[in-house]
Structures are given as structure tokens and as C-alpha cells.
């Protein structure tokens, strides 16, 4: 039995609906106004050339974008999942809180809609499908727990598989399911439910393993080894402190304060309802695991977004009468602050960024059409390139023409190694766009003739390296050899049927 709830359903209030409509108008404005980001442009090319997997992440976001491109190639189209995501998350929150009453269910939905990620996040990333499938999986799992329904556990496993094919952090939710089943649940169907959940979740890892063993274990090499080169890793007291602040922001200080102040009432709600108790465990276990990880590395804000809505639902189910309207007002005020600040930033002139280290990147992104106009005289005679993936994919998106990555690049976003075949470019002309001044001696060994041009755009100097007559063999023996030896050194214990990089450029060798 739940305690009587005497606060009106917030979703019955016209003022609340007006506020939510204004929030969505704001989100739509952001989706339309913000230029494409480097990560979004990278995933866009996954959608242009869909596959069973990609270099650094599982394939789900690429599959989604491939479908959306049938509507339009515009930013607003590929961002539709991010724009609409808070709606299914709120619907799941309402479903999870419904046993506590429609009023509490209404507050659960409202809380998720007012959390910072739901207010400002309109960019399409791998986190969007991860959040979607993870919340669906939790909803199915808790429903199966409450109703003792094995079919719901199977659905939870299937959604977990799809979350895994979105991003590897879905593993933390799987770990939370196992720990909750072993340590907390005592119902008679818990083992059968866990078996079905695992069984239906297996296709996700199986598909991913199949793709990786035929592609030099690209995902594993990136996430387990390559991405950590030169990053902010290593044991430090600053990492846990940063993680705590990040978690406080994602959950909002207000939600955390209300949960802390009324801990006894919230725990009592968990004792009354096994579903509410499960929400605590399924959120707190990943947060604790992230906390342990934070001792040695920085935890990204976006890593936490799949689990934050669960505590919002638990708060809606457990806080005492009268607390929920106050919490909703605090969250609404916090959302309004985000809207005002971000609205000012988006409408600010580009000169605001001039004193920052990001200014050249801002100019490249915002003024990309002016930059591309400088390349127009060369478009018939040159293959276009950049020296890094972010610039390459961003310019490629805006030009609707693929830009290759010329040079060693970095450990990140090396899917261009799959797309580009430098053997086919032998003898061709390559134009490389750069934000930093190049040393032409780094280019001369690979071209018959090299020329440098430059131009200014809003105070930023861009450089064009015009390479005529590309020489593939010296490029293979130096740059591509360096890439192979640095980022394609697959451990011997991983079985492998093919490695695209060695197979393409170094036949007879392996990525070992």
C-alpha cells in the first residue's frame, strides 16, 4: 500500500503544459540553430555508409542516422532522436511511477523533462540510443519484477542488447541487473527472469564480437588501449572530486538535497514497492562503479545520463506529500537558467570566442561555407583532406563531399582508415586544409610538387597544402607504417579473422 497523495497531478495543469511547450520550442530552436559538431558529423558519415560496426563504437547511432537521412541530410533531421528523446523517457518514468498513483507518476515524468540533459541536449551522439534503450530495458525489468512476468524480463534483455549495440556503458546496467538479482531479490522467478534477460541480451555482444574479430578488434583497441594515450588518466584526488561535482550537476543539487533530507521516507517507499527499490539499485550501482573508476580517470558527464532518470522516478515515488511541487519548482527554475544562458551563448556574436583556445574551431564550424568557397577553384582537380578527423568530417558534411584524413591523425575516430584507400590515390592531387601552419618538409616526400596557400577568415588563418602527384609507396612505408605500429597492435589472445588495415596496406602481415 502506498501512502495517500494529496498533491494534484502536475500534468493536469495548463501552466505546466505551457512551460513544457516553451521548453520544446527552445529545444527545437537549439536543434535548428546549432551548427553541426565534429562528433555529429562523424556519426553522419556512419549513416551515409551504414555497416555492422564502426571503428570506435557499436553501430546503433549509425543505423538510426541512415534511416533519418531518408528524410533529410539537414542537422534538424539527424538530430530528431535527440530532440524527441525526453518524451519516451518521460513516458517510461510515468509507467515506472504509476503504481504509486497518477499524481506521483505525473511528477516522475515532469522531473525527467526538467533535468539538465533533457533541457539542453539536442545533439545526436551515441548516448542518445543508449539512453533510449537503457530506460526501456529498466522499465521492462521493473515491470517484470512487479508482475512476476518472465516475458518482461526477456524484453529487458532484448532492450539491453540494443543498448549494448549503442554504447558499451550498457554493460554497467547488465552488472546492476545481476547484482540486484543476487543480492536483493527474493521472489521465486528471479533466476528464471535473470536467465531470460541474459539469453535475450546475448545477440548484442555476439554481433559486436563477430564484427570486431573481422575488423582488427577496432572497438576494443580504441576503448581499451588507444584512447588512453596522452589523456588525463592516472590516480589523482581531483578525478573523484570532479566526478562528484559532475554527478551533482547531472542529478541537480535540488534532487540530491531532497533525497538526502527525506532519506527515511524514500527508503520506506522502497520497502513498500520492490520496483522502487530496484530503481535505487539500478542507478546507484553504476554510479558507484563510476566512482571507483574515477580514482584513475576522468568520468565524462554524458556517461551518467542513462541512469539519472531512475533516481528522479524514485524521488517521485518516495518523497513525502508536499515535497514534489517544491522540487518541481526548483527544477523548473534550474531549467530556465539553462535556457537563458544557452540562448544568450547561441545568439552571441562569434567574436565572443576570440580570446579562447577554441576560436579557430568555432570559425571553421560556423563559417564553414565561407571556408569551402575558398576551396571551390580546386574541387575538380583535388581530393580534399584535413589533418584531423573533426575538421575533415565537419567540412565534409557542410560540403556534402567526403574529406579524407591525411597524415597520422590521432587515436580518435579513425574510421577513415576503413573508408579511405590510399592505394587508389596514387598519382592524384590532394588538398589538405589545416588550422595550424604546416612544415612543407612533412609533405614533400609524398608528392611530386607541394605548394602552400593561406587565407584569413574572421581573424583565423587557414592553410591549404596543395600536393600534386601523390606518392603512395613512401606514404605507406612511413605514415601508414607508423599508424599500424601504433594503433593496430592487437593482443595475441584475441582471435582474429581479418584486419582491414594490414590486409589493405601490408599483405602478409597481421595487426599483432
Amino acid at each position: 500500500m502506498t501512502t495517500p497523495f494529496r498533491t494534484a497531478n502536475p500534468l493536469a495543469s495548463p501552466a505546466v503544459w505551457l512551460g513544457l511547450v516553451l521548453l520544446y520550442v527552445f529545444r527545437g530552436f537549439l536543434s535548428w540553430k546549432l551548427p553541426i559538431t565534429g562528433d555529429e558529423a562523424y556519426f553522419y558519415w556512419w549513416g551515409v555508409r551504414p555497416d555492422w560496426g564502426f571503428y570506435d563504437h557499436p553501430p546503433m547511432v549509425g543505423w538510426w542516422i541512415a534511416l533519418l537521412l531518408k528524410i533529410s541530410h539537414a542537422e534538424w533531421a539527424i538530430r530528431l532522436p535527440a530532440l524527441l528523446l525526453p518524451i519516451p523517457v518521460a513516458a517510461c518514468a510515468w509507467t515506472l511511477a504509476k503504481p504509486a498513483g497518477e499524481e506521483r507518476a505525473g511528477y516522475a515524468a515532469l522531473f525527467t523533462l526538467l533535468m539538465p540533459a533533457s533541457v539542453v541536449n539536442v545533439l545526436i551522439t551515441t548516448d542518445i540510443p543508449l539512453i533510449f534503450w537503457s530506460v526501456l530495458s529498466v522499465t521492462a525489468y521493473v515491470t517484470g519484477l512487479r508482475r512476476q512476468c518472465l516475458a518482461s524480463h526477456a524484453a529487458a534483455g532484448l532492450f539491453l542488447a540494443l543498448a549494448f549495440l549503442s554504447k558499451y556503458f550498457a554493460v554497467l546496467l547488465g552488472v546492476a541487473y545481476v547484482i540486484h538479482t543476487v543480492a536483493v531479490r527474493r521472489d521465486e522467478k528471479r533466476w528464471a527472469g535473470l536467465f531470460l534477460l541474459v539469453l535475450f541480451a546475448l545477440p548484442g555482444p555476439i554481433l559486436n564480437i563477430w564484427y570486431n574479430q573481422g575488423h582488427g578488434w577496432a572497438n576494443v583497441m580504441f576503448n581499451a588501449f588507444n584512447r588512453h594515450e596522452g589523456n588525463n588518466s592516472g590516480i589523482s584526488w581531483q578525478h573523484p572530486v570532479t566526478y562528484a561535482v559532475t554527478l551533482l550537476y547531472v542529478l541537480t543539487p535540488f534532487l540530491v538535497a531532497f533525497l538526502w533530507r527525506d532519506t527515511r521516507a524514500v527508503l520506506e517507499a522502497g520497502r513498500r514497492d520492490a520496483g522502487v527499490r530496484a530503481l535505487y539499485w539500478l542507478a546507484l550501482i553504476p554510479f558507484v562503479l563510476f566512482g571507483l573508476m574515477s580514482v584513475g580517470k576522468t568520468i565524462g558527464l554524458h556517461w551518467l545520463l542513462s541512469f539519472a532518470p531512475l533516481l528522479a522516478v524514485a524521488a517521485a515515488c518516495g518523497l513525502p506529500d508536499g515535497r514534489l511541487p517544491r522540487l518541481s519548482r526548483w527544477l523548473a527554475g534550474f531549467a530556465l537558467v539553462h535556457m537563458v544562458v544557452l540562448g544568450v551563448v547561441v545568439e552571441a556574436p562569434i567574436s565572443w570566442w576570440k580570446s579562447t583556445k577554441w576560436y579557430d574551431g568555432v570559425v571553421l564550424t560556423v563559417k564553414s561555407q565561407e571556408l569551402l568557397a575558398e576551396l571551390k577553384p580546386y574541387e575538380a582537380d583535388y581530393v580534399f583532406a584535413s589533418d584531423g578527423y573533426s575538421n575533415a568530417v565537419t567540412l565534409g558534411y557542410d560540403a556534402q563531399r567526403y574529406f579524407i584524413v591525411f597524415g597520422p591523425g590521432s587515436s580518435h575516430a579513425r574510421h577513415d582508415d576503413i573508408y579511405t584507400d590510399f592505394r587508389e590515390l596514387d598519382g592524384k592531387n590532394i588538398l589538405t586544409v589545416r588550422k595550424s601552419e604546416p612544415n612543407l618538409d612533412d609533405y614533400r616526400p609524398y608528392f611530386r610538387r607541394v605548394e602552400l596557400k593561406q587565407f584569413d577568415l574572421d581573424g583565423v588563418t587557414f592553410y591549404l597544402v596543395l600536393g600534386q602527384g601523390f606518392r603512395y609507396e613512401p606514404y605507406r612505408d612511413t605514415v601508414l607504417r607508423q599508424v599500424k605500429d601504433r594503433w593496430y597492435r592487437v593482443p595475441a589472445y584475441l582471435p582474429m579473422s581479418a584486419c582491414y588495415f594490414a590486409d589493405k596496406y601490408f599483405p602478409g602481415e597481421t595487426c599483432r
Side-chain angles (χ1 to χ4, degrees), residues 329-351:
R329 288 192 290 270
W330 280 107
L331 293 176
F334 201 44
L336 182 60
V337 170
H338 282 76
M339 293 167 65
V340 171
V341 171
L342 195 54
V344 170
V345 171
V346 168
E347 288 295 335
I350 194 172
S351 58

Side-chain angles (χ1 to χ4, degrees), residues 155-303:
L158 178 60
F159 293 140
L160 183 62
L162 295 171
F164 182 87
L165 290 175
S166 303
K167 201 166 187 174
Y168 288 133
F169 284 127
V171 170
L172 297 183
L173 180 57
V175 171
Y177 285 146
V178 173
I179 293 177
H180 178 254
T181 300
V182 173
V184 181
R185 292 183 62 172
R186 293 294 179 264
D187 56 280
E188 61 181 16
K189 292 188 177 181
R190 64 185 186 278
W191 300 117
L194 181 62
F195 172 78
L196 283 176
L197 190 154
V198 172
L199 180 66
F200 278 81
L202 282 177
I206 289 172
L207 175 61
N208 189 250
I209 290 170
W210 168 78
Y211 174 83
N212 271 274
Q213 66 83 33
H215 290 77
W217 291 95
N219 292 174
V220 173
M221 291 304 299
F222 172 70
N223 287 286
F225 303 104
N226 296 335
R227 75 181 302 170
H228 304 296
E229 286 190 359
N231 68 5
N232 192 22
S233 297
I235 296 177
S236 169
W237 65 269
Q238 294 176 328
H239 296 328
V241 171
T242 301
Y243 169 64
V245 173
T246 302
L247 182 59
L248 183 65
Y249 169 74
V250 168
L251 294 174
T252 77
F254 317 107
L255 178 63
V256 173
F258 274 70
L259 287 173
W260 179 264
R261 179 175 178 177
D262 294 298
T263 300
R264 182 175 298 179
V266 170
L267 292 178
E268 178 59 31
R271 282 190 286 270
R272 292 194 304 267
D273 183 346
V276 174
R277 185 164 65 251
L279 291 175
Y280 294 133
W281 282 84
L282 299 180
L284 294 178
I285 289 171
F287 289 151
V288 169
L289 293 175
F290 279 132
L292 296 175
M293 292 165 56
S294 74
V295 174
K297 65 184 302 178
T298 300
I299 303 299
L301 181 151
H302 55 292
W303 298 4

Side-chain angles (χ1 to χ4, degrees), residues 96 133-143 173 177 279 282 310:
L96 288 167
W133 296 119
S134 295
V135 172
L136 281 179
S137 179
V138 170
T139 303
Y141 178 80
V142 172
T143 299
L173 180 57
Y177 285 146
L279 291 175
L282 299 180
L310 308 186

Side-chain angles (χ1 to χ4, degrees), residues 102-140:
E102 289 198 6
E103 294 83 2
R104 291 184 180 265
Y107 275 104
L110 182 61
F111 291 168
T112 63
L113 289 169
L114 293 176
M115 298 184 84
S118 296
V119 175
V120 303
N121 187 15
V122 297
L123 306 180
I124 184 67
T125 65
T126 52
D127 299 289
I128 301 304
L130 172 66
I131 296 168
F132 177 76
W133 296 119
S134 295
V135 172
L136 281 179
S137 179
V138 170
T139 303

